[in-house]
Amino acid sequence: MSPTSHNVQDYLPHEPIEPTVATGVDMIARADQGDSVGDGEKTLPQKSHYLFKFLREEKALPSKRLAGVMLAVLFLVMFLAGWNDASQGPLLPSLQGYYNVNYLVISTIWLANFAGFMTSGLTNVYISDSFGFGIAAPFGASMQGLAYILICWGCPFPLFVIAYVFNGFGLGLQDAQVNSLVTRLEDSSTKMFLMHAMYGFGATVSPFVSTAFVQHVSSRVYLYFAASLGLALITVLALVVAFRGRTETQIVGKRQLEIRYNKDGTSKEVDPTHEGGGSGGKMKQILTTPVVHYMAFYMLIYVGVEVTIGGWATSFLLDERGGNDNSGYVSSGYFGGLTVGRIVLIPVTKKLGNYLSIYIYSALVLVLSIIIWFTHTIVGNAICFSIIGVFLGPMYPIVMNVVVDILPGELQGGTIGWIASLGQAGSAIMPFMVGAISEKHGVWILQPFTVAFMAADVFLWFLVTRSSHRHTKRLKKHSLQGTSVEDKDTEKEDDNMMSNTPGVKEEESRNSASHQPEHERFSLEILSAPFQRENVQS
């Protein structure tokens, strides 16, 4: 597929051309045509939220081959994220020596990361709605590359810390964009697990490279970030070439029309792409939905624990278990376990169900963490860290799949972005907490810290489970209220009249299913599917 050329007018805002992408069909719904919504009614066309004209143009969906290339590039983005997160643990002692700073001061890099992650979380919806995936994702990778440019020449420590603000912003934006897009792909649940397995793979490979730098060029260990810069530039180029500025709609097509019920019981079909009152309205809905907050704080703690273990396990084995430079390879074992868990536990997770799986995996992580706490063998601790990675692995993609199950389409992208960014914020703030406490009490506190916060996460998951079931029940109940009270009274009178007519009621009973509007039957199935699935699994 050849790139499309654009002139200056393509980049100027004017009347939108709504994308109505369909496989094998070249169709453009222009602004003067109007859109049909339930019962044959016509409404005024809704303006596209994209800033540039070429983002609003109709494009044929990618071919099967191009779609495969795009998926591979998404995997590359997650590989880069894993590479970044796992490198910090083995490098940390050498960076402390190079900058001559203690645990507390070196931990400020995670505060800088936190600032970047939170910025990306708050701006993701606006960036997505203005520029779409094909611009937002490469921009995020570019910000990550900028961070490596600032670091790789051994910059002064203040600039080293500032670079991590750009790093956090770039990682958070890419994480939000990629997770949101994958939820719209065919067989998204399995692809989500595999994509996050690529994160684990990147995190597995990275410590081998960073540990080699520590062993051979410990006085200039910052040169490691030149390798990271090369990987970031490859990622930017791959995103630009594969996606060519496409929006999510131009990649996977428009979302299906959804059935919405008014307070008076009437219904209509709406395009979820334009629901929510714009970017500000979407963020307001997201931030006022309780289950979103429970999942966000669950993710903040989960990712925080995941990255804290990967970041401080090397220092823990060096200081508390008498390890040597080879302790850096323990991070590879841990993140290797993370990768394995996200693949081999796919069928187990599907069998147990999303909610029960996390309870079981969390209990196993707690047991293994306690074993590390009270045993003092390097080999035993290293093995337990690896197994902890196996059971932590599936939790992130499980949460992303739950978001898709319980929230309407127009909120899924923004919610995933917000939750992912909060998770990345946890990966910044919690390692800093461990570093600050370790400076006074020693890095042995890693294990009680892990146990305490995993227990807190189990409680948060209980709140997620309860709220999501209530949320789904409300949706199911609301979908059943598709008829107003007056209509119900009329129907009751009609039923009484028809019951006095021989044969009419039996005929109505036989044909009621076929007389029900197809879009209403589809809506009921979609709204009740998550609730029914969890009942079957439990």
Side-chain angles (χ1 to χ4, degrees), residues 105-258:
V105 176
I106 196 67
S107 296
T108 55
I109 64 174
W110 280 300
L111 286 182
N113 255 340
F114 174 81
F117 291 139
M118 290 303 296
T119 303
S120 69
L122 293 172
T123 59
N124 172 63
V125 170
Y126 301 93
I127 294 173
S128 296
D129 284 356
S130 298
F131 302 103
F133 177 90
I135 295 178
F139 176 65
S142 300
M143 290 297 98
Q144 195 173 352
L146 175 60
Y148 296 143
I149 290 173
L150 296 176
I151 296 172
C152 69
W153 53 276
C155 63
F157 187 74
L159 185 58
F160 175 75
V161 174
I162 291 172
Y164 273 88
V165 177
F166 295 104
N167 187 52
F169 177 81
L171 277 169
L173 187 59
Q174 290 175 89
D175 200 27
Q177 293 293 318
V178 170
N179 279 286
S180 176
L181 179 60
V182 170
T183 61
R184 302 237 6 239
L185 300 180
E186 184 180 356
D187 195 16
S188 61
S189 175
T190 299
K191 286 185 174 69
M192 184 70 73
F193 277 93
L194 294 176
M195 184 183 70
H196 285 281
M198 284 300 297
Y199 169 94
F201 180 58
T204 304
V205 173
S206 173
F208 284 101
V209 181
S210 58
T211 301
F213 273 85
V214 169
Q215 292 175 338
H216 296 96
V217 288
S218 58
S219 62
R220 295 188 297 164
V221 72
Y222 52 80
L223 292 175
Y224 167 82
F225 293 97
S228 299
L229 173 59
L231 185 58
L233 293 177
I234 291 172
T235 303
V236 173
L237 180 63
L239 284 166
V240 171
V241 172
F243 290 94
R244 299 173 185 173
R246 286 175 179 259
T247 67
E248 183 178 296
T249 299
Q250 293 169 340
I251 298 168
V252 293
K254 294 183 70 173
R255 291 184 182 273
Q256 290 183 340
L257 296 180
E258 296 180 359

